[in-house]
Amino acid sequence: MKTPNRLRQSGQSLLAAAFGASATLAFSPFSYWPLMLVALWGLFTLLQNASPKRSAWLGFCWGLGQFTTGVSWVYVSIDHFGGMPAIAGLSLMGLLIAYLSLYPALFGALVNKLPSRQPGIKWLILAPALWLVIDWLRGWVFTGFPWLWPGYSQIDSPLAGIAPVLGVQGITLVLAILAGLLALITPRWGQWQGQARYGAVAIGLGLIAVSYGLGTIQWVTKTDQQQQISLIQGNVPQALKWRPDQRWPTLMKYLDLTRQHWDSDVIIWPEAAVPALERELPRFFSQLDQAAKHNQTTVITGALDQNEQGAYFNNVLALGAGTPEYRYPAPTQYSKHHLLPFGEFVPFEALLRPLAPLFNLPMSSFSPGEPVQPALPANGWDYITALCYEIAFPAQIRDNLNADSDAIITLSNDAWFGRSIGPWQHLEIARMRALEFGLPVIRATNNGVTALMDEHGQIQTTLPQFETQVLTTQVTRTRGETPYRQWGNAPLWLWILISGCIGFIAWRRDPSRQAKISTNL
């Protein structure tokens, strides 16, 4: 029979997992954004006065709750296209969740090794800075998985005004500070009592007020210059896409939908819309280029290719108005730089490829394009391209922006993830990029969610999922630059540096450390 202490510890572990799971409800499509603050507050409160080992376990449980629910959409792809028994697919999914949960576990392990004499410094300065560093690690290790950064959940909250100044991670920082404030004043658990509670409430309300005020500033303004765009949502089932007998029916489907919209300035097909390598269809692309030029329209489409050395690339081609005459390979194209692990390249492939068909899918060894590439010409405008997963990497997009950038386009094919929550989280990430950079974001997909977002990250128009339709709308050019577009993450790194200095000073002055030194002397 478990002792009361063991029962209490088990209850805390379950509570941590429940708080982590509640974080998923803060993201799209649920969008109960206050729950992200609740989830972080719950974690920070449980970590109060816990040992580093116990904190690591509670952080791991919190991560299990968040990632089991939040990235469940990955299993749809494994189950439908992985070619493995269910038990193997579930095991692989479990490994992914366990890996991602190591990051909040690392936070838990380190946060209670921070100087604790002054809880305000620990939970309002050091802990938020530590969370940022660990979040960035998750977005970088093994090429990165920055999905479900807390800041994304606040795209419709009063904290959204921080994004044009400090980016999505600036919102995460403020969330962590607010969670630390709440943890410090929580009855029975918190370390601030009496008058300190009123000060904490004042600080929290002040942060929210500043965020709301930033949201009222017009960092960029609309001009009177517009383009008419048509986004072709082909709704081609993933199971049929690469069948040889479906190649020409698919191409004819896109051509038929395109012919009805030659009056648009730009027509955009989704990622890998052409179910063949570019080198296999030079005549098709040449004729499409000529037809687009004749109608004074630019056609942008996703297309895969393989070069003479056998390397595969996931490309986006621009054809028609404003582009040179087509000759293979396309003279104006973008090659995806940030590849999706396991989908577009296999880490440790010599070890993993023999294990299961999932690791040996056709064209699962793509080569990356350059990190900085020219914008795609779009009938007189310059479109910065982010292919599918790349929209989750703001630093890469910022590196490609320049004074002539007019809009961001992101082509995707979320048919891999069925009717899961994944495509909606993907759309939310795209909305955040629009808000950060003050540019319209155009999202063209195979089966949804196809949408146009304005410079404030608001959805202007969209198509229903799983329907063959064309979204024709107007995109407006903007003038000006957001602070985040100019500075990037530099202010956040400065915050982390200052926090580190404060932490070092606090550590030097820690009485327990001084006592140990005296004892040793």
Side-chain angles (χ1 to χ4, degrees), residues 28 35 61 89 137 163 168 181 185 243 251 281 376 389 471 499:
S28 187
L35 288 179
C61 291
L137 277 176
V168 63
L181 282 169
I185 64 175
R243 280 177 39 175
L251 291 174
L281 299 172
L376 289 179
Y389 184 55
L471 177 60
S499 299

Side-chain angles (χ1 to χ4, degrees), residues 148-315:
L148 298 184
W149 277 351
Y152 284 118
S153 66
Q154 305 301 299
I155 188 71
D156 293 313
S157 85
L159 300 184
I162 298 169
V165 181
L166 297 175
V168 63
Q169 287 297 71
I171 302 177
T172 297
L173 174 64
V174 173
L175 279 170
I177 294 173
L178 292 173
L181 282 169
L182 290 175
L184 286 172
I185 64 175
T186 300
R188 294 185 60 186
W189 291 81
Q191 301 174 57
W192 279 3
Q193 306 295 327
Q195 295 295 325
R197 288 184 174 181
Y198 298 110
V201 171
I203 293 172
L205 292 176
L207 282 173
I208 294 172
V210 169
S211 303
Y212 183 81
L214 290 173
T216 65
I217 299 175
Q218 297 295 316
W219 302 107
V220 299
T221 57
K222 291 181 183 290
T223 69
D224 58 359
Q225 299 171 310
Q226 291 187 321
Q227 274 191 339
Q228 179 169 298
I229 61 172
S230 290
L231 311 180
I232 312 295
Q233 183 170 288
N235 194 35
V236 178
Q238 193 62 35
L240 300 179
K241 184 178 179 65
W242 294 100
R243 280 177 39 175
D245 62 325
Q246 293 297 311
R247 173 181 293 186
W248 287 106
T250 298
L251 291 174
M252 291 302 103
K253 183 177 190 177
Y254 277 103
L255 286 176
D256 289 343
L257 293 170
T258 297
R259 289 190 188 101
Q260 302 170 31
H261 297 277
W262 281 128
D263 58 333
S264 291
D265 298 302
V266 182
I267 299 173
I268 306 176
W269 299 4
E271 178 187 22
V274 178
L277 299 178
E278 181 193 350
R279 66 189 303 172
E280 297 173 336
L281 299 172
R283 185 178 177 185
F284 169 82
F285 285 109
S286 179
Q287 291 176 344
L288 180 59
D289 176 56
Q290 293 171 20
K293 283 182 168 64
H294 176 75
N295 288 281
Q296 299 180 343
T297 300
T298 302
V299 174
I300 296 175
T301 180
L304 308 182
D305 198 24
Q306 184 183 28
N307 65 15
E308 294 180 354
Q309 290 72 42
Y312 287 100
F313 292 90
N314 192 353
N315 296 335

Side-chain angles (χ1 to χ4, degrees), residues 6-56:
R6 290 287 299 277
L7 285 171
R8 184 168 60 250
Q9 290 183 351
S10 298
Q12 289 179 3
S13 300
L14 291 173
L15 189 58
F19 278 124
S22 71
T24 297
L25 295 175
F27 296 95
S28 187
F30 312 106
S31 300
Y32 300 120
W33 52 263
L35 288 179
M36 179 52 69
L37 181 57
V38 172
L40 290 174
W41 160 77
L43 175 63
F44 286 15
T45 300
L46 289 171
L47 295 181
Q48 298 268 321
N49 303 316
S51 68
K53 182 178 179 180
R54 178 66 182 162
S55 294

